């Protein structure tokens, strides 16, 4: 749940709600206002603002204010000219739809890049490096995206497992040892089946890398490392998961790319050697992509 959503739904007192409504209305303008100024404008005491922060599980007013401003800043960036839920309408022709979806994908990738915490990314990649048994848990279309990551990793001799059989993921989670690693993908971070398996992993001391939306979630609380994806789509009211899919795909590509870079030359040499052995019979009439034609020209 996003912080501003929690602010809107939390059962505050009347005086506290007045402050919350003021914050939601003023947004970034509260950055230059002191706690005393905000309290005075809402005819209350600074202690009311501190109490609000505590109720929302922050250590104090400054931490709460900074988290709120960070979220406002994120929501104000990108996606200004495109609706992630309905990127095109029935009035758009095919060319317009293609253009708008290109713009949506670009926005989703930029949005995701902005959310990358470099410390968490480093920790995630190093965890993958030292772990022999990597398992990905996801549902529906996210499983298909995860399979591409699995394929990439397998081609540099790094085993990644995915359970695609419905109802078996809980058993797979139960069987993982604490020296394993789990990547758990969930947009909301609140899917019942995902939370159940994450709880099993947590109790078994299996490190969890969560890939989920911004804000507080049950999955995020259980994860050792959190990686954030673009958070612009509604859960159901949309044409398709265009932005979420682009975001997850990009983030998994970043994980793969960074993992590859840890032993760049070794991975490159191995991948090219194997590809040359198993794919050398592939040809094309295009000089751009046909490698045999390129070699003959170079010779």
């Amino acid at each position: 749940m996003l912080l501003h959503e929690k602010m809107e739904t939390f059962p505050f007192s009347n005086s506290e709600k007045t402050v919350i409504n003021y914050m939601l209305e003023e947004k970034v303008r509260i950055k230059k206002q002191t706690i005393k100024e905000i309290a005075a404008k809402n005819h209350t005491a600074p202690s009311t603002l501190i109490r609000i922060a505590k109720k929302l599980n922050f250590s104090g007013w400054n931490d709460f204010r900074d988290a709120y401003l960070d979220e406002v800043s994120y929501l104000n960036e990108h996606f200004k000219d495109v609706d992630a839920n309905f990127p095109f309408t029935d009035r758009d022709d095919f060319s317009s739809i293609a253009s708008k979806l290109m713009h949506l994908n670009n926005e989703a990738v930029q949005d995701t890049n902005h959310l990358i915490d470099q410390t968490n990314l480093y920790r995630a990649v190093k965890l993958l490096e030292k772990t022999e048994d990597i398992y990905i848990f996801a549902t529906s279309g996210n499983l298909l995206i995860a399979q591409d990551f699995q394929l990439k990793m397998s081609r540099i001799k790094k085993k990644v497992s995915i359970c695609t059989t419905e109802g078996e993921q809980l058993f797979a989670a139960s069987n993982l040892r604490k020296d394993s690693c789990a990547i758990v993908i969930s947009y909301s971070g609140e899917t019942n089946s995902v939370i159940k398996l994450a709880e099993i992993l947590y109790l078994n001391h299996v490190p969890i890398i969560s890939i989920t939306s911004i804000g507080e979630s049950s999955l995020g609380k259980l994860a050792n490392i959190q990686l954030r994806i673009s958070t612009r789509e509604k859960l159901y009211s949309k044409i398709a998961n265009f932005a979420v899919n682009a975001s997850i795909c990009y983030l998994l590509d970043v994980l793969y790319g960074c993992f590859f870079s840890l032993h760049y030359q070794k991975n490159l040499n191995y991948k090219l050697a194997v590809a040359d052995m198993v794919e050398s019979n592939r040809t094309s009439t295009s000089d751009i992509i046909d490698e045999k034609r390129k070699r003959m020209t170079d010779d």
Side-chain angles (χ1 to χ4, degrees):
M1 178 182 287
L2 297 180
L3 180 56
H4 80 271
E5 294 173 334
K6 194 172 182 179
M7 291 164 63
E8 291 171 341
T9 58
F10 194 91
F12 289 112
S13 67
N14 289 333
S15 60
E16 291 166 347
K17 285 181 180 177
T18 300
V19 175
I20 290 296
N21 291 335
Y22 177 80
M23 292 179 65
L24 294 173
E25 178 68 27
E26 290 294 299
K27 292 184 170 60
V28 296
R29 288 187 290 272
I30 71 165
K31 185 175 184 178
K32 297 182 178 180
Q33 300 175 23
T34 67
I35 187 172
K36 290 183 179 180
E37 289 173 338
I38 295 175
K41 287 177 181 292
N42 290 277
H43 308 289
T44 189
S47 59
T48 301
L49 280 69
I50 297 173
R51 190 163 58 248
I52 290 173
K54 297 287 187 179
K55 286 185 176 181
L56 293 175
N57 298 321
F58 289 92
S59 60
W61 167 254
N62 288 340
D63 287 341
F64 168 50
R65 179 202 59 198
D66 292 346
Y68 172 69
L69 290 172
D70 284 345
E71 185 172 285
V72 170
S73 176
Y74 167 72
L75 293 173
N76 285 340
E77 292 182 357
H78 306 298
F79 289 89
K80 294 179 181 179
D81 302 316
V82 61
D83 186 337
N85 299 294
F86 305 100
F88 58 87
T89 70
D90 57 355
R91 297 185 298 275
D92 288 311
D93 58 22
F94 291 171
S95 176
S96 179
I97 291 172
S99 178
K100 288 184 175 181
L101 288 180
M102 175 197 69
H103 186 55
L104 175 62
N105 274 265
N106 289 340
E107 288 290 311
V109 168
Q110 291 179 35
D111 200 29
T112 310
N113 182 264
H114 177 79
L115 289 171
I116 292 177
D117 181 293
Q118 295 300 323
T119 299
N120 282 345
L121 176 61
Y122 177 83
R123 290 175 60 214
V125 174
K126 296 300 287 185
L127 178 59
L128 295 181
E129 181 188 27
K130 74 176 186 179
T131 304
E132 292 296 327
D133 194 3
I134 302 171
Y135 220 103
I136 299 183
F137 295 97
T139 59
S140 304
N142 292 341
L143 280 171
L144 300 177
I145 300 174
Q147 287 174 1
D148 178 67
F149 175 77
Q150 178 190 37
L151 176 63
K152 288 186 176 78
M153 294 290 276
S154 71
R155 293 192 171 186
I156 54 173
K157 298 179 70 175
K158 189 67 175 180
K159 182 183 177 183
V160 175
S161 301
I162 301 176
C163 181
T164 58
T165 305
E166 186 176 355
E168 290 299 311
Q169 289 197 343
L170 295 180
F171 290 100
S174 300
N175 290 334
L176 288 184
R177 304 180 306 274
K178 62 181 180 181
D179 58 350
S180 305
C181 166
I183 299 175
V184 184
I185 305 173
S186 172
Y187 180 49
S188 68
E190 300 293 347
T191 305
N192 289 334
S193 59
V194 171
I195 299 308
K196 181 62 177 178
L197 68 85
E199 288 173 344
I200 293 173
L201 294 168
Y202 180 83
L203 291 174
N204 289 341
H205 305 288
V206 177
I208 300 172
I209 301 172
S210 69
I211 295 181
T212 189
S213 58
I214 68 169
E216 188 177 277
S217 70
S218 299
L219 174 58
K221 292 177 181 178
L222 295 167
N224 301 82
I225 303 169
Q226 296 187 60
L227 299 177
R228 305 295 193 177
I229 51 179
S230 179
T231 309
R232 307 289 179 166
E233 292 181 358
K234 301 292 185 183
L235 288 178
Y236 312 111
S237 304
K238 55 190 173 185
I239 293 177
N241 299 334
F242 294 124
V244 171
N245 288 354
S247 182
I248 295 173
C249 185
Y250 169 70
L251 193 51
L252 289 176
D253 277 349
V254 169
L255 277 178
Y256 168 75
C258 292
F259 181 85
F260 190 102
S261 73
L262 294 176
H263 305 283
Y264 185 91
Q265 202 57 53
K266 175 184 174 182
N267 288 329
L268 183 61
N269 291 343
Y270 177 79
K271 190 175 185 304
L272 292 180
V274 173
D276 188 57
M277 179 176 63
V278 303
E279 298 182 314
S280 59
N281 62 332
R282 297 178 64 189
T283 61
S284 171
T285 57
S286 170
D287 289 337
I288 297 175
I289 65 176
D290 190 288
E291 299 196 49
K292 286 185 177 180
R293 288 170 178 263
K294 180 67 168 60
R295 288 176 183 173
M296 293 174 63
T297 302
D298 291 343
D299 293 341

